[in-house]
Amino acid sequence: MLSTALSAHSTREVESPFWEYLYSRGLSDAEIRGMETHCIPLTRCQLMGDDGSYRGDLGRRVVWPVREPTTKKLVSWISRTIKSNYTRSDKYLNLSKVVWPPTPPTNGVAVVVEGLIDAVALRRAGWFAYASFGKKISTEQFRTLKSWGVTELVIFFDKKDAKKEMLKTAEEAKMYFSKVFVPDFSKVPKDMDAGD
C-alpha cells in the first residue's frame, strides 16, 4: 500500500511534514487518529483513471478513508495536498462523488463546505457540516444528502473566490431542498473562510 498510517507516537522523519501540515490546520491528535489519516510520502505518484486518463498526482498528500456509515466498509478515499498555497484544481482528489463524513445529520440541516478541514472546523462549532471537495456539489452529492433527510441546505464555500459558484449551486439545490441558504459575507474579514 502506498500510504503510511500516521500514528499518535510517530517520530519518523518522513511523516513529520504531514503532522506539521495537519497541526497547522488546527487538527488535534485525536481528530487525526479518529479520521484514520494516512500520508503518501512519495514525491510523485500519478493517479490514472480506469480509462487510462491522468487524474492527478497523489504524491505528498494526506489521505482519509471514506467508510459506509452502517457496515464501516471502505467505499472511497479522499486526499489533500500538503503543499501550501496550492491553487490547481486537484487540491483534493477522491475516487467518487461522496460527501464527508458519510453520516447523516439528525436535524435535517446540512452545511456543505469545500474541504474536509472546513467540515471538521464547523462540526466543532456544532453544525452538521459536509465536504464536497470543490466549488461544486454534484448531483450524486445532492441525492445523498436528500436521502439522509436533509431539507435545509447551507452552502458555505470559501468566500474569497466562490461567490458566483455558491449562488449557482444554490439555484441547483432548490430542486432538492425546501430551503437553501448562502451566507452574507459583507461584514466578514476578507481572509476568513469556513475553516477559520
Side-chain angles (χ1 to χ4, degrees):
M1 184 170 198
L2 293 174
S3 65
T4 303
L6 293 175
S7 68
H9 306 290
S10 173
T11 57
R12 295 188 330 167
E13 187 174 315
V14 70
E15 293 177 4
S16 179
F18 298 91
W19 279 106
E20 289 172 16
Y21 168 76
L22 294 165
Y23 287 147
S24 76
R25 297 304 309 262
L27 296 175
S28 68
D29 282 349
E31 288 168 327
I32 293 167
R33 286 192 310 273
M35 294 188 295
E36 301 178 76
T37 308
H38 288 66
C39 68
I40 298 181
L42 300 173
T43 304
R44 289 194 49 80
C45 180
Q46 290 187 349
L47 175 66
M48 307 303 280
D50 290 340
D51 61 356
S53 63
Y54 176 74
R55 293 278 308 273
D57 190 342
L58 280 171
R60 308 295 289 162
R61 289 179 180 266
V62 286
V63 180
W64 296 277
V66 175
R67 299 190 181 279
E68 197 279 327
T70 307
T71 66
K72 306 302 180 200
K73 178 182 175 185
L74 183 68
V75 294
S76 186
W77 54 265
I78 298 150
S79 73
R80 190 201 191 283
T81 182
I82 65 167
K83 297 171 186 170
S84 60
N85 300 320
Y86 193 83
T87 57
R88 291 181 21 206
S89 62
D90 65 346
K91 179 165 59 173
Y92 279 98
L93 288 174
N94 62 311
L95 281 179
S96 63
K97 296 294 184 183
V98 298
V99 290
W100 185 95
T103 54
T106 58
N107 63 359
V109 179
V111 180
V112 178
V113 293
E114 289 179 53
L116 182 140
I117 294 169
D118 298 332
V120 170
L122 285 178
R123 283 179 166 265
R124 283 187 196 142
W127 293 90
F128 288 102
Y130 300 89
S132 65
F133 308 105
K135 294 178 178 65
K136 178 164 178 36
I137 304 173
S138 70
T139 300
E140 294 90 342
Q141 291 168 323
F142 280 137
R143 288 179 178 160
T144 296
L145 293 167
K146 180 84 172 167
S147 75
W148 288 348
V150 172
T151 57
E152 298 183 24
L153 188 72
V154 179
I155 301 164
F156 189 4
F157 295 160
D158 292 351
K159 66 176 178 54
K160 60 183 170 274
D161 59 357
K163 183 176 180 181
K164 288 179 184 176
E165 287 87 350
M166 282 191 293
L167 294 174
K168 180 181 177 187
T169 303
E171 285 300 315
E172 294 170 5
K174 289 178 184 177
M175 293 174 40
Y176 299 91
F177 309 101
S178 59
K179 294 182 181 178
V180 180
F181 303 92
V182 176
D184 175 9
F185 291 120
S186 61
K187 296 185 180 174
V188 177
K190 287 184 179 181
D191 57 344
M192 290 186 73
D193 62 24
D196 298 315

